[in-house]
Amino acid sequence: MNREDKFSKDIDEMLKIEDFETLEEDSEYVKDLEFARKLSNLYSSDDEVKEEVHEKMKENKNKKKKGFKVAAVAAVAVLLITPMTSTGQELYRTIKEAILPSGRVQIIEEERVAEGPMEMPVPEELKGQLFDKDGNELAVMKEDTIPYNKDGEKVSVSYGVWEDENGVKHEEYEVFTEAEDVVKQEKLKIYEPVDKVAEEKLAFNPLVLKDKKYEYKYAMTFAEDGDNEKSEYGNFIYEKGGKEITLYERVSSEESGYGTDGENVQEVDLNGVSAIYYNNNTLDFERDGLLVGIHCKDIGYDELVEIYNDLELYK
């Protein structure tokens, strides 16, 4: 897989899941910025390549969904086509890469190799909306910048690309506070029983945790407002011993494949099923026609494997 393809997959992953799947732990702009920074090693200073990358970033692989929009991706992520350092050199290099057999999930581990901060101009669409803590309008976003609104509240910045019924692509930015984000995300949560969610909201049979040691909390399916079609993406949130467990599930296809970065990336075998363990709290694998991720803070590999072994295909 060449760098342009890897860049496209990584950006697609950000567009698909940052708004939904890493909401509570990654809703802050700084964490979004960190992820964008780590992708900066895919930058090229060549103008022709920059234009190609820009076009890739604007692609929406979910074209079948009318009006598809994505949020909670740091604005800087779409500005990676500008110079990252004064010399245009790479900031990070890949030290490990793990890919599932189907090639649809790729996790890379990187290390920083260049000195100097990353910075980029604030896009025109956001002029007059982003300020520093002292109330000065931001013209440039630096690596450690935390943006505020004019009222002095910390904000996150989202970037979305969507396609209308005529096939015309649109780009949108949005600035929102943490409180506004909480309200928005609450609307996505479905507090109906797992059975009802699986039968009425999803276009696939999900993997679920039926064992009584897991307490089901809610689900998220990301269907468009007013869209009667069932979703090919779904998250299920459980709790065990006071720890929140999230199952990220999607129908396995070329379009739904993704790539992201991680720490302590390891390829593992789960009773014959290839999986990737990373960040010391996440396990990604392909099973029963699904791409699945298990995430839980503050637990180890053995506990993740226990959760994996307790998964049952809903029928």
Side-chain angles (χ1 to χ4, degrees), residues 1 4-13 15-16 55-65 68 70 103-104 161-163 169 232-233 250 253-259:
M1 180 179 293
E4 286 78 11
D5 290 338
K6 181 159 56 174
F7 184 95
S8 179
K9 281 198 171 184
D10 286 343
I11 290 298
D12 284 339
E13 176 62 4
L15 293 178
K16 289 174 183 176
E55 289 304 314
K56 282 181 178 291
M57 293 171 69
K58 291 166 61 179
E59 289 178 2
N60 175 11
K61 292 188 177 181
N62 287 285
K63 294 179 181 178
K64 62 183 179 180
K65 285 182 176 267
F68 178 79
V70 187
R104 293 173 181 172
V161 180
W162 60 284
E163 188 176 279
K169 293 179 180 178
E232 293 187 350
Y233 297 79
R250 61 184 69 187
S253 68
E254 290 301 318
E255 292 183 345
S256 66
Y258 60 88

Side-chain angles (χ1 to χ4, degrees), residues 113-132:
V113 295
E115 297 181 355
M118 180 181 78
E119 61 178 46
M120 53 206 70
V122 171
E124 287 295 326
E125 294 86 345
L126 296 175
K127 292 292 179 64
Q129 299 185 62
L130 302 179
F131 303 82
D132 64 20

